[in-house]
């Protein structure tokens, strides 16, 4: 029987340089899709999967990220006095209980594996844990991490979220070498980080959701530099395969948006805007008008 996963690590130490100048003064994770910051989507997904302890690996300049999950007593009081109970409930959904979030500093940008390793003292030696990358926003029902938790209950070991990508795009991802394809779940015989063009072992890319066995953290203790001279989480997971421990990929049901890129962020804004009941009619009409004018101008 697999042990329940209750902790998740959120590596949020990046500088967000692709979104300058906005990220000069605000953390990228606070940038909003419609009216919710990226980090809120990640936290809500983790909560839905049963996560109760949240570990943020941060860096300098991330104070606004920490403040976001604090209780805003004056604002709550003002909304209550004004009878704006719907907004009060929305606001309360951003609050976290005292002690639910821990903040760890990553002092040097040495890769995703290093960021996860920074949280090692907050994860027990026998405890599986999740890793959630906030750049990857996933629209799914049920949420992606919840799908993974359910699948992990069947497989144990370690699990990554996967999606099919075009062969020419595989070099931008970690890619699975598939030993057994069982439909939604695949068993991996290897993982390759950013394979050179034309060398990827499959078209199944690893995206930013992981459920990891405790031994993955032990593998990270080696602090072994990999692709790009960084400590790669992919390498630590690949070590599990070499040791004969199971690593699986889940073809999740849903749509992933790369909100680490401007194009992906805009695509996510449109998709989530059209999902909102109070926005979709007016927003869809606007988009239709814009496209009609573009076609007429061609």
């Amino acid at each position: 029987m697999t042990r329940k996963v209750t902790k998740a690590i959120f590596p949020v130490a990046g500088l967000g340089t692709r979104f300058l100048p906005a990220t000069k003064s605000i953390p990228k994770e606070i940038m909003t899709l419609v009216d919710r910051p990226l980090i809120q989507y990640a936290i809500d997904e983790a909560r839905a999967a049963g996560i109760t302890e949240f570990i943020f690996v941060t860096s300098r300049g991330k104070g606004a990220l920490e403040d976001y999950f604090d209780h805003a007593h004056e604002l709550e009081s003002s909304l209550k006095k004004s009878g704006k109970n719907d907004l009060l409930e929305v606001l309360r959904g951003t609050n976290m209980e005292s002690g639910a979030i821990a903040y760890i500093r990553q002092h040097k940008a040495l890769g995703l594996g290093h960021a996860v390793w920074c949280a090692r003292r907050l994860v027990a030696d026998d405890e599986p844990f999740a890793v959630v990358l906030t750049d990857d926003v996933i629209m799914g029902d049920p949420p992606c991490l919840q799908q993974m938790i359910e699948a992990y209950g069947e497989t144990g070991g370690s699990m990554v979220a996967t999606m099919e990508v075009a062969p020419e795009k595989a070099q931008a991802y970690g890619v699975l070498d598939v030993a057994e394809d069982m439909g939604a779940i695949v068993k991996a015989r290897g993982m390759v980080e950013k394979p050179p063009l034309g060398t990827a072992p499959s078209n199944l890319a690893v995206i930013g959701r992981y459920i990891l066995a405790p031994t993955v953290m032990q593998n990270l203790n080696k602090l072994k530099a990999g692709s790009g001279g960084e400590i790669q989480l992919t390498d630590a997971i690949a070590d599990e395969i070499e040791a004969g421990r199971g690593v699986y990929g889940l073809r999740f049901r849903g749509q992933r948006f790369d909100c680490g890129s401007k194009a992906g962020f805009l695509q996510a804004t449109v998709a989530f805007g059209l999902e909102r009941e109070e926005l979709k009619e007016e927003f869809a009409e606007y988009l239709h008008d814009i496209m009609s004018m573009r076609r007429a101008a061609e």
Side-chain angles (χ1 to χ4, degrees):
M1 183 176 180
T2 57
R3 182 170 173 179
K4 189 174 181 181
V5 181
T6 60
K7 289 183 180 177
I9 298 172
F10 299 80
V12 290
L15 296 176
T17 53
R18 285 188 285 180
F19 284 89
L20 284 170
T23 48
K24 177 183 177 181
S25 60
I26 60 170
K28 177 182 60 178
E29 298 80 16
I30 294 296
M31 293 178 64
T32 57
L33 292 178
V34 189
D35 55 5
R36 295 163 60 201
L38 293 178
I39 191 63
Q40 185 70 55
Y41 287 91
I43 288 289
D44 288 346
E45 182 179 334
R47 282 170 163 168
I51 300 298
T52 56
E53 296 182 62
F54 308 82
I55 304 168
F56 286 12
V57 181
T58 69
S59 59
R60 288 173 59 86
K62 298 285 184 172
L65 180 61
E66 298 181 17
D67 291 341
Y68 175 78
F69 290 106
D70 206 347
H71 289 241
H73 298 291
E74 292 182 0
L75 181 55
E76 288 185 17
S77 177
S78 175
L79 292 174
K80 190 172 183 179
K81 287 179 182 178
S82 302
K84 298 178 179 178
N85 295 323
D86 52 342
L87 291 178
L88 186 59
E89 285 305 306
V90 169
L91 184 64
R92 286 175 174 167
T94 70
N95 295 341
M96 301 291 281
E97 294 298 323
S98 296
I101 294 183
Y103 299 95
I104 299 292
R105 283 285 181 96
Q106 183 187 25
H107 298 296
K108 295 182 180 180
L110 297 177
L112 176 57
H114 181 264
V116 172
W117 176 80
C118 288
R120 65 198 179 281
R121 291 189 176 91
L122 297 180
V123 179
D125 291 342
D126 62 347
E127 187 176 27
F129 59 96
V131 175
V132 178
L133 306 189
T134 57
D135 278 357
D136 285 331
V137 177
I138 301 174
M139 182 184 288
D141 186 17
C144 178
L145 193 61
Q146 183 178 339
Q147 296 177 41
M148 293 178 68
I149 292 283
E150 292 171 359
Y152 166 77
E154 301 175 11
T155 64
S158 294
M159 178 168 287
V160 299
T162 63
M163 68 177 192
E164 296 182 358
V165 297
E168 64 273 14
K169 293 185 178 181
Q171 60 186 328
Y173 298 88
V175 178
L176 292 183
D177 185 359
V178 177
E180 184 180 0
D181 192 329
M182 299 168 279
I185 298 173
V186 299
K187 186 171 184 179
R189 100 175 116 234
M191 298 180 69
V192 182
E193 181 66 23
K194 297 181 179 178
L197 184 62
T199 67
S202 76
N203 68 339
L204 281 180
V206 177
I207 66 148
R209 300 292 185 276
Y210 309 80
I211 298 173
L212 302 176
T215 42
V216 173
M217 192 68 82
Q218 296 167 23
N219 298 338
L220 288 171
N221 281 330
K222 304 171 188 174
L223 296 180
K224 181 177 64 177
S227 176
E230 296 183 335
I231 298 167
Q232 299 290 348
L233 182 59
T234 301
D235 292 341
I237 299 172
D239 287 347
E240 292 292 282
I241 300 171
E242 290 184 14
R245 293 184 285 265
V247 173
Y248 302 87
L250 177 70
R251 291 184 174 102
F252 63 92
R253 302 182 302 281
Q255 185 174 2
R256 172 254 190 178
F257 299 93
D258 176 11
C259 290
S261 72
K262 292 176 185 177
F265 194 95
L266 291 172
Q267 291 162 11
T269 299
V270 171
F272 280 92
L274 291 174
E275 284 291 306
R276 295 285 289 270
E277 196 64 38
E278 74 276 20
L279 296 175
K280 64 181 183 181
E281 185 174 341
E282 182 179 355
F283 191 31
E285 183 177 347
Y286 170 76
L287 292 174
H288 179 269
D289 290 345
I290 287 290
M291 295 309 299
S292 296
M293 287 188 288
R294 281 180 173 271
R295 284 192 290 267
E298 290 176 355

